[in-house]
C-alpha cells in the first residue's frame, strides 16, 4: 500500500500544484471567467488517465501467459524510465514552475479559450498517464487485492488536500525538501519496478537465468512475514532474486541515487516554499504582466 500511496501522493501533488498555480494566476489576473476552461482541461485529462489504466488492465487480462509476462515487462521498464525522468525533471523545475506556468498561461490567454483548455489538459494529462503506468507496473502480482488501489486513492486524496491547503495558505511546505525525500523513495520504488520487469522478461523466456539465484535469504526474510511482504510491496525486495534481477537493481539504484543526491551547481535559487495564496481584494491583485511571482 505504501508504494502505491507514494506514487499517488507524488504524482497527485505535482498535478495539484500545477492546477493551483493556474487557478491562482487567473484569480490574480482577474480572469475568473477562464476558470471553467481550466477545470474542463483537468477533467478531460483525468478521464484520459482512467481510460489508459483501464486499457492496460484489459490488455493484460486477454493475453496468453508468455505474452502477458512480456507486456508486463515492457510496462515495468517504461514505468521505471518515466519515474526517473519525472524525478529529475521536478528536481530541476520545482523552483521555476510558477514562472514558467505564468508565461505559458499568458500566451494561452492571448490565443484564446481553446488554448487554455489544452494547456490545463496537457499539464495534468502527463501526470495522470504517468500515474496510471506507474500504478499498473507497481502492483503486478498484487491484482487479487484492493490494497494497492486503496493506497493510490489515499495518496491522490492527500495530494488534493495538500494542494487546497497550500492554495488557501493554511500551510506552507518547502517543495525542494518534499520532492527530495519522495524522490529518494521513488528511486527505490523504480528500482524494484525495473527488477520486476527483468523478472518478467525471464518468465517470458526473453532473458535467461530465471533459476540462477544471486542469494537466498528466505531464512531471515520469509516471503509470508509482514516485513517480507512490506519490503516486497514497497521496493520489490524478494528473498530469492535471480542474478540478472539483482544486477539490474544495483546498476539502476546506485548511479541514480548518486546523481540525484549530487549537489546542484550555480548560485542559490530562491526558496521554493510555496507562496501564499492570492488575495482577492483589489489592492492585492496584479496584472498579467506583474513581474512578481504568483501562486
Amino acid at each position: 500500500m505504501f508504494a502505491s500511496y507514494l506514487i499517488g501522493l507524488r504524482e497527485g501533488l505535482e498535478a495539484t500544484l500545477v492546477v493551483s498555480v493556474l487557478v491562482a494566476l487567473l484569480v490574480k489576473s482577474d480572469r475568473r471567467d477562464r476558470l471553467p476552461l481550466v477545470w474542463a482541461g483537468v477533467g478531460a485529462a483525468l478521464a484520459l488517465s482512467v481510460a489508459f489504466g483501464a486499457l492496460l488492465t484489459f490488455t493484460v487480462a486477454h493475453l496468453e501467459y508468455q505474452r502477458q509476462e512480456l507486456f508486463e515487462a515492457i510496462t515495468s521498464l517504461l514505468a521505471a524510465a518515466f519515474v526517473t525522468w519525472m524525478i529529475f525533471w521536478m528536481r530541476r523545475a520545482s523552483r521555476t514552475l510558477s514562472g514558467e506556468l505564468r508565461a505559458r498561461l499568458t500566451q494561452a490567454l492571448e490565443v484564446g479559450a481553446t488554448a487554455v483548455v489544452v494547456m490545463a489538459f496537457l499539464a495534468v494529462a502527463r501526470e495522470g498517464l504517468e500515474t496510471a503506468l506507474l500504478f499498473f507496473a507497481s502492483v503486478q502480482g498484487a491484482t487479487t487485492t484492493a490494497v494497492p488501489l486503496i493506497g493510490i486513492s489515499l495518496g491522490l486524496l492527500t495530494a488534493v488536500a495538500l494542494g487546497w491547503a497550500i492554495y488557501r495558505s493554511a500551510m506552507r511546505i518547502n517543495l525542494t525538501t518534499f520532492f527530495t525525500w519522495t524522490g529518494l523513495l521513488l528511486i527505490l520504488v523504480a528500482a524494484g519496478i525495473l527488477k520486476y520487469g527483468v523478472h518478467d522478461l525471464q518468465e517470458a523466456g526473453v532473458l535467461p537465468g530465471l533459476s540462477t539465484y544471486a542469494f537466498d535469504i528466505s531464512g531471515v526474510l520469509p516471503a509470508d512475514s509482514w516485513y517480507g511482504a512490506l519490503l516486497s510491496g514497497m521496493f520489490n525486495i524478494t528473498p530469492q532474486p535471480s542474478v540478472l534481477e539483482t544486477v539490474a537493481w544495483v546498476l539502476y539504484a546506485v548511479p541514480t541515487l548518486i546523481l540525484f543526491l549530487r549537489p546542484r551547481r550555480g548560485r542559490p535559487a530562491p526558496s521554493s516554499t510555496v507562496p501564499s495564496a492570492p488575495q482577492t481584494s483589489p489592492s492585492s491583485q496584479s496584472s498579467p504582466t506583474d513581474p512578481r511571482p504568483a501562486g
Side-chain angles (χ1 to χ4, degrees), residues 157-186:
L157 290 175
T158 304
V160 171
L162 285 174
W164 175 253
I166 291 170
Y167 178 78
R168 301 300 299 178
S169 295
M171 63 180 298
R172 296 167 68 89
I173 64 173
N174 186 287
L175 293 182
T176 301
T177 301
F178 174 83
F179 285 122
T180 295
W181 284 104
T182 56
L184 288 173
L185 291 174
L186 277 179

Side-chain angles (χ1 to χ4, degrees), residues 60-73 196 199-200 202-205 210:
V60 75
H62 290 79
L63 293 175
E64 60 183 24
Y65 176 77
Q66 189 172 8
R67 291 186 178 180
Q68 184 182 54
E69 295 295 326
L70 184 59
F71 180 80
E72 291 177 356
Y196 189 87
H199 177 81
D200 277 340
Q202 291 179 309
E203 289 275 6
L210 180 61

Side-chain angles (χ1 to χ4, degrees), residues 83-153:
V83 74
T84 305
W85 176 84
M86 175 264 296
I87 289 170
F88 284 96
W89 177 84
M90 183 52 70
R91 178 177 182 265
R92 182 182 68 255
S94 60
R95 299 189 177 191
T96 60
L97 181 63
S98 179
E100 292 179 359
L101 287 174
R102 184 186 186 89
R104 293 178 185 176
L105 182 59
T106 301
Q107 295 175 354
L109 288 171
E110 293 175 354
V111 173
T114 303
V116 177
V117 176
V118 171
M119 179 186 175
F121 171 80
L122 293 178
V124 178
R126 181 178 63 85
E127 307 298 341
L129 294 176
E130 285 180 3
T131 302
L133 182 60
L134 287 173
F135 178 67
F136 177 82
S138 67
V139 301
Q140 297 307 308
T143 54
T144 58
T145 175
V147 170
L149 182 60
I150 295 173
I152 198 169
S153 299

Side-chain angles (χ1 to χ4, degrees), residues 187-213:
I187 287 174
L188 297 179
V189 171
I193 293 175
L194 177 65
K195 173 178 174 290
Y196 189 87
V198 172
H199 177 81
D200 277 340
L201 288 175
Q202 291 179 309
E203 289 275 6
V206 176
L207 293 177
L210 180 61
S211 300
T212 305
Y213 303 117

